[in-house]
Amino acid sequence: MSTATPTAPLPPVAAEMLARLVAELPLVRAVAQYETAAMHAVQLAALAEADKMTDLDADSLAAAEDVMAAARAVLADAGRLDLIGGA
């Protein structure tokens, strides 16, 4: 027996808007990941400049750069680098 509560179907306009919103979720995720990783990279770069970076910090910086690159690729594929200030 299903525990889901049945709902009325969405009007066509609402269904269209929902479909567009769902299509944008990967872009929203990519922007959030990029911005978070970029902030982390800036903090870690400051440690490197102060000559206080540990091996773990260096690994974290490399991971942050990987996340940024992956997120940038998602946005580039969608033609939306403008969302992170890129061209």
Side-chain angles (χ1 to χ4, degrees):
M1 177 180 246
S2 175
T3 59
T5 304
T7 60
L10 290 174
V13 172
E16 226 175 88
M17 291 176 69
L18 181 59
R20 282 197 312 256
L21 177 63
V22 168
E24 298 295 325
L25 289 178
L27 299 181
V28 172
R29 182 181 302 114
V31 169
Q33 289 173 338
Y34 184 91
E35 290 177 347
T36 301
M39 175 130 359
H40 194 57
V42 166
Q43 293 168 342
L44 291 167
L47 288 176
E49 287 178 14
D51 203 26
K52 295 183 179 182
M53 181 172 268
T54 66
D55 289 344
L56 184 58
D57 293 330
D59 290 344
S60 293
L61 179 57
E65 290 171 344
D66 289 346
V67 169
M68 290 170 62
R72 189 178 195 289
V74 168
L75 295 169
D77 288 347
R80 293 305 314 263
L81 288 176
D82 60 300
L83 295 174
I84 57 171

